[in-house]
Amino acid sequence: MAPPWLTALPQPAALVEWRGNSICFEYWNDPFERYFGEMARGNREQDPERFGRLEAELIGFALSGHQVSRFELERLTTLGTEAFDCTLAWVHHAEPGKSRILISAIDRTADRRVEESLRRELISDALTALPNRTGFGEAIEMILGQEDHADAAQIGVMIIDLMRFSRINEALGTMAGDELILSVAARLKSCMGDEGATVARLGGNEFGVCHVFKNGVTDLMDMAARIKAAIAMPIRLSNLQISINCAIGGALIRISEAEADELVRQAQTAARAAKKSDRLEIYRAGELGAARQRFFLESHLRDTLQQGGLHLLYQPIIDLSDGQVRGFEALARWSHPVLGPISPNDFIPVAEESGLVVQLGRWALHDAMRQLRLWDEALGEPMPVKMNVNLSPIQMARDDVLGTISDALRLNGVNGDRLMIELTESAVVGDPNNCGMLLDALKRSNVAVAMDDFGTGYSNMASLQSLPIDLLKIDRSFVTDMIADPDKLAIVRAILSLAKTLGMRTTAEGIETADVAYKLREMGCDYGQGYYFAKPMGADEAYACWMERRNISTRLAASG
Ligand code: C2E
Ligand code: MG
Ligand code: MG
């Protein structure tokens, strides 16, 4: 007869006799009967694996010399797997000569189900029930973990970004946005057919696809084309028929070399490029390195700007008719204590991308005007030079440029006619109206405007003619070796004649030899800038350069 305390226990429990080298179930209570009765009776057939496990735990415990031991035991049923936490303990004060082990089990099935459903929620997207970002990562890990891949098999990830999604959300409401996401999810799944690819929703308008591609990039491109076509088909949303475009970026690598996070990041980099190029982009090694480098520069640039760690150099602009310095272009320089000198060609794009260029541009204007004031003070009268300051199109779009310029002039007591703003063609092309208003206002303050790097952009002749631009700066890519290249010479000639027609003056950038300087003068170019005359230099050196050239021409004039 089972001891009464055992019968009274609410959880499954049993007493097992240890016979020195084997075990024998002696007594068990009703709950134990319900779950493990067959096992207790020694009937192994029903679930031999679990019976073996229980037996091994009991024997292991008996031989271990421990007082208590815990383990988990599962039980297969027609309704799923049940889980139990089991405890083994010696029962003391037993009948003399008998060694008994008490086994008791606690049913953890309900807890496990809750855990599993929480986990499922954690890895899937609530709207589409597709895997979310975490689930996508796990799915990729799972593919990478499988062992039966061919040596050359490649794993590919595609990131699909729906264009204009936020506009649709705003215009038609989030319900319509949800409907759109659901249709796209269904279309994506149906494009995969029976290929067994994983489709996931990674965020608002971002989907991911992961698959093993036997024929590498050709297969990936095929799939991308199918996806693009499926998404492009018109979708009905609240009585409206809309079509949606998507940007697709892919990354592909041999399975043996793949790493899940890296692969997703690479595909995201490609998708960002695809948004700009409007075609499928596939990640190439090195691009992400460049992205990381940009991010790294951005965080350093932010600190440097705050700490006033940038400085300006000044490159003389020479009047080609008499060799005098008529102005300086202020060029930003960044010398990082650890990284060394960083070129503006590297940090200006980073500043533009991050918006830091607004702060940078304000600083450059103020610092350049301050320098003019210092030179004026040194000379005891206004120095007869203009200061050219570059203005990024991003700053033009985001900042109160006019306010910044008039502050910089006013605070340093400098007249507007001493300043020349250098714009690039993209500023004009990007937003001709805004640009027109700004230039008109600058004109009223006597500030001159130059079109920088002229010839490399896509200026619209009509807007060029209608804008109050004073000067064209011919890009140095046409100038430096124009003598040896008839095409470049022809371009320079054409720009000079265009400027003449439009009543604009001209500066040639990138003059590196005397030949080029003389040729340009002969062709009627007004000003020159380049290493032949001087490299960008510090403020004192720039002042000395101006003084020296003035003295030379005074001497020449005096000697007749
Ligand atoms: P940019 O405005 O066209 O400036 C002229 C660039 O040509 C300068 O490069 C100058 O050092 C270089 N250069 C001048 N003469 C020669 C020459 O004879 N041969 C060669 N090979 N190069 C010559 P830098 O200083 O590296 O600046 C590059 C660009 O960065 C500038 O082109 C400008 O677009 C931008 N930048 C520089 N400072 C600023 C700034 O304060 N604000 C903004 N928005 N952009 C800036
Ligand atoms: Mg410039
Ligand atoms: Mg330029």
Side-chain angles (χ1 to χ4, degrees):
M1 257 251 307
W5 58 266
L6 181 68
T7 321
L9 281 179
Q11 74 266 34
L15 277 172
V16 179
E17 192 188 338
W18 170 242
R19 295 181 166 165
N21 55 6
S22 66
I23 51 152
C24 170
F25 279 84
E26 226 181 334
Y27 306 112
W28 55 92
N29 62 8
D30 288 345
F32 200 88
E33 168 65 31
R34 205 172 315 132
Y35 294 116
F36 307 108
E38 292 296 323
M39 282 196 205
R41 274 189 287 279
N43 184 356
R44 290 165 174 262
E45 266 82 81
Q46 205 178 32
D47 198 350
E49 196 187 310
R50 266 159 206 80
F51 188 88
R53 168 92 204 284
L54 182 61
E55 201 171 41
E57 289 286 349
L58 281 161
I59 294 174
F61 170 70
L63 295 174
S64 72
H66 294 152
Q67 287 302 308
V68 180
S69 157
R70 293 202 167 81
F71 62 98
E72 257 189 31
L73 191 66
E74 286 182 340
R75 182 172 163 270
L76 293 179
T77 75
T78 46
L79 294 177
T81 308
E82 291 171 340
F84 294 86
D85 279 348
C86 301
T87 309
L88 302 179
W90 289 109
V91 181
H92 299 288
H93 316 296
E95 291 170 37
K98 269 199 175 183
S99 303
R100 278 184 182 146
I101 300 167
L102 170 68
I103 165 169
S104 70
I106 294 173
D107 188 350
R108 291 281 181 224
T109 311
D111 296 348
R112 280 275 197 92
R113 299 230 163 103
V114 171
E115 269 169 33
E116 266 165 30
S117 85
L118 279 177
R119 222 191 105 56
R120 222 172 300 122
E121 262 174 48
L122 211 70
I123 60 165
S124 55
D125 170 52
L127 177 64
T128 57
L130 292 174
N132 60 11
R133 195 174 292 277
T134 316
F136 191 51
E138 286 189 4
I140 300 174
E141 296 283 8
M142 214 155 88
I143 297 177
L144 297 182
Q146 287 162 0
E147 277 165 7
D148 51 352
H149 299 298
D151 273 356
Q154 297 198 63
I155 181 166
V157 166
M158 274 186 267
I159 298 293
I160 299 135
D161 230 290
L162 304 183
M163 314 279 264
R164 297 194 310 143
F165 178 66
S166 52
R167 292 246 292 277
I168 292 170
N169 243 348
E170 277 163 24
L172 305 180
T174 44
M175 292 267 276
D178 284 358
E179 226 178 301
L180 174 74
I181 291 292
L182 283 168
S183 322
V184 170
R187 285 179 186 193
L188 278 176
K189 274 167 87 173
S190 69
C191 299
M192 301 306 136
D194 49 10
E195 287 185 52
T198 304
V199 180
R201 182 176 178 219
L202 308 186
N205 61 341
E206 192 187 41
F207 288 85
V209 170
C210 170
H211 189 48
V212 175
F213 293 100
K214 278 201 223 94
N215 300 315
V217 76
T218 349
D219 281 0
L220 183 136
M221 283 165 78
D222 278 353
M223 190 185 270
R226 285 205 307 274
I227 291 175
K228 191 122 191 156
I231 291 183
M233 280 190 308
I235 296 179
R236 246 201 128 64
L237 284 184
S238 17
N239 297 331
L240 283 176
Q241 185 103 320
I242 66 154
S243 24
I244 186 144
N245 188 13
C246 65
I248 304 182
L252 198 72
I253 191 166
R254 264 183 198 221
I255 293 186
S256 52
E257 294 161 14
E259 207 233 296
D261 286 352
E262 193 78 2
L263 201 57
V264 174
R265 268 201 300 276
Q266 292 173 347
Q268 277 169 329
T269 304
R272 272 198 296 281
K275 266 196 202 164
K276 289 190 191 141
S277 67
D278 198 24
R279 60 190 166 103
L280 169 70
E281 294 283 352
I282 295 175
Y283 176 83
R284 280 181 296 275
E287 277 175 19
L288 199 68
R292 250 193 229 131
Q293 160 101 351
R294 274 203 298 281
F295 182 70
F296 180 75
L297 281 188
E298 182 186 322
S299 58
H300 281 274
L301 184 58
R302 197 177 298 274
D303 295 344
T304 304
L305 273 169
Q306 259 156 19
Q307 294 153 10
L310 294 186
H311 65 279
L312 289 176
L313 289 187
Y314 305 90
Q315 189 176 29
I317 295 171
I318 307 294
D319 189 329
L320 291 179
S321 66
D322 61 6
Q324 291 282 296
V325 176
R326 289 281 180 263
F328 292 95
E329 176 171 7
L331 293 160
R333 288 293 179 270
W334 181 10
S335 299
H336 190 275
V338 179
L339 305 172
I342 302 170
S343 162
N345 294 321
D346 292 327
F347 70 79
I348 298 286
V350 171
E352 290 184 328
E353 222 168 79
S354 58
L356 286 171
V357 79
V358 170
Q359 213 179 324
L360 187 151
R362 287 183 180 185
W363 160 79
L365 261 166
H366 277 272
D367 216 47
M369 293 305 100
R370 187 182 60 94
Q371 189 54 58
L372 263 190
R373 171 170 57 83
L374 292 177
W375 283 335
D376 290 355
E377 284 169 9
L379 190 67
E381 60 180 275
M383 188 175 165
V385 290
K386 268 196 200 308
M387 182 70 90
N388 287 25
V389 178
N390 292 284
L391 186 72
S392 146
I394 309 282
Q395 189 185 1
M396 217 170 90
R398 297 207 193 147
D399 196 17
D400 167 20
V401 172
L402 213 55
T404 305
I405 290 176
S406 52
D407 283 354
L409 292 170
R410 190 170 37 80
L411 287 173
N412 292 291
V414 171
N415 284 339
D417 60 4
R418 308 275 304 283
L419 174 63
M420 178 174 275
I421 294 292
E422 294 194 8
L423 293 179
T424 51
E425 288 170 87
S426 56
V428 183
V429 177
D431 192 351
N433 287 338
N434 183 24
C435 183
M437 283 188 310
L438 175 68
L439 298 201
D440 286 335
L442 288 179
K443 184 107 251 171
R444 286 194 292 277
S445 333
N446 294 324
V447 174
V449 174
M451 184 63 77
D452 202 357
D453 305 338
F454 189 76
T456 53
Y458 305 93
S459 285
N460 174 330
M461 285 303 151
S463 63
L464 195 63
Q465 187 202 1
S466 67
L467 291 171
I469 292 165
D470 302 275
L471 184 141
L472 296 185
K473 290 190 83 173
I474 309 170
D475 191 71
R476 71 162 188 263
S477 58
F478 306 117
V479 175
T480 307
D481 52 357
M482 66 179 212
I483 306 256
D485 189 332
D487 291 343
K488 290 184 179 170
L489 198 62
I491 293 173
V492 171
R493 189 165 279 125
I495 297 177
L496 290 172
S497 122
L498 172 76
K500 203 165 183 186
T501 314
L502 297 176
M504 296 171 185
R505 314 212 87 189
T506 41
T507 298
E509 301 181 318
I511 301 178
E512 294 186 359
T513 59
D515 288 356
V516 172
Y518 283 109
K519 182 77 189 165
L520 283 161
R521 179 164 79 175
E522 183 196 307
M523 288 161 79
C525 182
D526 299 297
Y527 308 104
Q529 181 180 351
Y531 297 169
Y532 168 62
F533 300 114
K535 288 200 166 181
M537 50 181 96
D540 292 346
E541 226 185 317
Y543 183 81
C545 172
W546 168 76
M547 189 67 104
E548 193 188 344
R549 283 191 171 257
R550 188 183 68 153
N551 292 343
I552 289 173
S553 70
T554 322
R555 272 204 309 276
L556 287 177
S559 65

